[in-house]
Amino acid sequence: MGPVRQSPSALQPMPGEGGKTVVLFDGFCNLCSATVQFILRRDPQGRFRFASQQSTAGQRLLAQHQIRAEEALADSVVVMEGGRVWLESDAVLHILYRLGGVWRLGAGLRVLPKPWRDKAYRWMARHRYRIFGKRQTCWTPRPEFAERFL
């Protein structure tokens, strides 16, 4: 599964990010917050790190990877790992792949044409607030997961 973007070689990981898969999410989106909670429950090894796109850490990572904040919020989930960035359906499929186990089977959806996958992803991203709702404040993790957030 190929990355959408290759980051500049001078990119330095943020503290706590090194060697991990970083998921940037819309902290106001109920669907996005539920996705983060889904990942947390299925990642006891702590392979994933998280930041809301609205946070200082999230804004810094977006800027380092040359992604406009408006573009990221439209995509709703951005995945970064090893200097590479995944957007849209590729981001979701990379998360499933990295979760491993039975979830890795979901990554097999990459056999579908990317334009189809991304069209379905963009439809859901565009309607996520209407379908799943929007928080008035940014979601915060439970204390036992706080160290997994940048």
Side-chain angles (χ1 to χ4, degrees):
M1 179 168 13
V4 173
R5 295 186 182 183
Q6 191 71 31
S7 295
S9 59
L11 179 68
Q12 296 298 316
M14 292 188 64
E17 179 190 353
K20 303 291 183 181
T21 302
V22 177
V23 177
L24 300 181
F25 65 100
D26 177 355
F28 295 105
C29 169
N30 287 332
L31 174 61
C32 303
S33 299
T35 299
V36 170
Q37 293 170 56
F38 173 88
I39 297 167
L40 284 167
R41 287 192 305 272
R42 287 156 184 83
D43 180 34
Q45 299 85 6
R47 295 171 292 197
F48 288 87
R49 294 290 180 264
F50 305 92
S52 74
Q53 293 176 19
Q54 295 88 350
S55 70
T56 302
Q59 291 291 304
R60 179 174 168 223
L61 282 168
L62 290 172
Q64 282 185 331
H65 289 273
Q66 300 167 356
I67 300 171
R68 292 186 347 264
E70 306 81 41
E71 177 186 3
L73 281 173
D75 288 336
S76 68
V77 175
V78 177
V79 176
M80 301 173 173
E81 179 184 297
R84 295 176 289 176
V85 176
W86 289 264
L87 302 171
E88 297 183 325
S89 66
D90 287 333
V92 173
L93 296 178
H94 190 70
I95 289 169
L96 291 172
Y97 178 80
R98 293 293 289 145
L99 279 173
V102 69
W103 303 110
R104 191 168 276 183
L105 295 174
L109 291 173
R110 71 178 178 260
V111 300
L112 295 175
K114 182 172 171 44
W116 294 2
R117 290 186 282 121
D118 285 346
K119 184 174 182 174
Y121 182 92
R122 283 191 294 270
W123 183 90
M124 182 58 71
R126 201 170 39 253
H127 298 286
R128 69 187 185 272
Y129 294 144
R130 186 167 3 117
I131 296 170
F132 297 97
K134 182 177 181 179
R135 299 172 160 279
Q136 294 301 312
T137 59
C138 200
W139 176 77
T140 55
R142 295 191 326 230
E144 63 266 28
F145 294 122
E147 74 281 350
R148 308 255 315 263
F149 286 75
L150 304 176

